[in-house]
Amino acid sequence: MSGQKLAAECIASLRADLTAAKPRFPWLAADLQTLRNTLVTPHIDMSVYGEQVIPIRFRDGDETLCYAHAAIPGPTSTPAPAGDAAAFHKDCSIIIIHGLGGDARGSAVRYLTARLLASGFPAVRINLRGAPAVYHLASSIGHAGKTADLYDILSGLQASLGRRRWGLIGISLGGNLTAKALGDGALSDFDIVAAMTICAPLDMQAASDRILEPRNWLYEKYLLRDLKNAVLRTAMGEAWKAKARGARTVYQFDDTVTGPFHGYGTAANYYGRVSAGPVLKKISIPTLLLAAANDPWIPAESFNPYASAANAPAQILVTPHGGHVGYHFTGTKEPAYCSVAARWFTAVTS
């Protein structure tokens, strides 16, 4: 069976299952789905797997750390269904890319890592430039379209682990970065065979406008805190730190810090230049873009302009429930995006 047909059949199956899925009590509303892992910190012990710490140097001298795990049988906090762990040491390693304010220690990253390892895929948790775990290694911040950093990370991983087939999973802002890099061809030097994003803001302006809505004031407070910390705790100059301190909204931060620092000027120009939506049609590998219709951070209608033809490699799958990187459904203790990732990569890398 062709890879395209396998991908289409997998998406059809996932759509049916996720449409029928119901939120798990008490996480019934979209905001509770979104906040669940903040309110109840999950215990996902990565120490049961071997871990290789890989230092990565960016082209400008900044550094980061990544963590590679081999897919070996062993105890997991979220056991795979019967038969899911039968084939270990698959020849495709999955790189997991966190979102804004997160790092390789985040709940979603660890959930995904545990499931992928249990499903036979080697997995790599990365820290993007200036993430909290590596503040001390950065002289500057990254941004939602800094695909050169993703290139440097892949180069460093390949130098340490050897050439291999790769898969990518991008979470939230990391999802936009992933899709942008694939659509722009920024990672064409690597053998990337499949990708997935989870709740990616493919239209950065629409996501920014949504975060500015009064109902989202608490989300914005915490996102702005994370953005400021990335400037204040890295080695950026005092002038930039002063601008970061003065920002009162996420938009203002991007208008006075992110956009100007990276040469985009205004926030509006930055959003327009780095949004992945316009380049989805250029993606040439099987790519599943998972989104939730009730995501409080990203308006569902912002995906409409980027709907793909049925045979296009990149496909957006919008589910009725899930919140923002929530997906806490009945019948499982792990977020549903974990089983989605295992099923998707198993189908399209066979």
Side-chain angles (χ1 to χ4, degrees):
M1 187 181 295
S2 71
Q4 183 174 311
K5 187 171 182 181
L6 283 170
E9 289 187 355
C10 182
I11 289 174
S13 176
L14 290 170
R15 178 176 286 109
D17 290 348
L18 292 171
T19 298
K22 302 298 181 185
R24 186 173 78 247
F25 183 84
W27 318 106
L28 302 179
D31 292 305
L32 290 174
Q33 286 276 313
T34 302
L35 294 170
R36 190 270 178 188
N37 286 345
T38 300
L39 299 173
V40 182
T41 304
H43 177 70
I44 309 161
D45 184 7
M46 299 307 303
S47 67
V48 298
Y49 296 102
E51 176 179 283
Q52 179 180 351
V53 181
I54 302 175
I56 302 287
R57 183 178 293 273
F58 295 110
R59 63 192 68 184
D60 62 0
D62 275 8
E63 297 179 31
T64 190
L65 298 173
C66 300
Y67 313 95
H69 303 269
I72 54 177
T76 74
S77 58
T78 53
D84 195 30
F88 287 90
H89 302 293
K90 289 189 171 74
D91 66 345
C92 179
S93 296
I94 312 298
I95 298 171
I96 305 168
I97 304 156
H98 62 80
L100 175 63
D103 58 26
R105 304 168 298 184
S107 298
V109 173
R110 288 182 290 124
Y111 267 128
L112 284 162
T113 303
R115 167 44 75 96
L116 289 166
L117 292 174
S119 301
F121 290 97
V124 183
R125 298 179 291 132
I126 74 167
N127 290 300
L128 293 172
R129 178 194 298 261
V134 290
Y135 280 146
H136 61 293
L137 298 177
S139 65
S140 64
I141 56 173
H143 64 78
K146 197 168 179 60
T147 57
D149 277 4
L150 203 51
Y151 183 99
D152 290 348
I153 287 172
L154 270 159
S155 294
L157 292 176
Q158 199 151 269
S160 294
L161 301 174
R163 295 190 65 87
R164 59 184 60 195
R165 299 199 306 164
W166 300 100
L168 304 178
I169 300 180
I171 303 165
S172 193
L173 207 69
N176 182 82
L177 177 64
T178 299
K180 178 70 171 173
L182 294 174
D184 279 349
L187 304 178
S188 59
D189 288 347
F190 307 98
D191 187 12
I192 300 174
V193 295
M196 174 180 168
T197 69
I198 304 168
C199 299
L202 303 177
D203 182 334
M204 292 284 292
Q205 183 69 63
S208 176
D209 292 345
R210 172 59 63 85
I211 287 295
L212 281 172
E213 293 179 4
R215 62 120 26 230
N216 284 332
W217 69 270
L218 184 61
Y219 294 131
E220 178 167 54
K221 175 182 177 180
Y222 283 97
L223 288 174
L224 184 59
R225 178 203 63 183
D226 291 340
L227 287 166
K228 288 184 176 186
N229 281 342
V231 173
L232 300 177
R233 298 185 186 180
T234 54
M236 289 181 70
E238 187 54 43
W240 291 110
K241 292 183 179 182
K243 290 181 179 181
R245 291 189 191 97
R248 295 293 176 263
T249 65
V250 170
Y251 183 89
Q252 190 177 35
F253 181 95
D254 286 336
D255 202 46
T256 59
V257 180
T258 314
F261 182 81
H262 291 289
Y264 293 107
T266 65
N269 188 52
Y270 161 59
Y271 295 153
R273 294 275 299 278
V274 306
S275 292
V279 299
L280 291 187
K281 60 182 178 295
K282 297 181 181 179
I283 294 177
S284 60
I285 63 169
T287 301
L288 172 63
L289 300 111
L290 184 66
N294 68 344
D295 188 329
W297 296 19
I298 303 171
E301 60 271 19
S302 67
F303 298 114
N304 293 341
Y306 313 122
S308 304
N311 62 347
Q315 294 289 326
I316 300 173
L317 173 54
V318 181
T319 64
H321 308 290
H324 188 74
V325 197
Y327 288 91
H328 303 287
F329 294 164
T330 58
T332 178
K333 292 184 178 180
E334 66 178 7
Y337 52 71
C338 295
S339 61
V340 169
R343 290 166 64 181
W344 172 247
F345 285 102
T346 297
V348 298
T349 64
S350 299

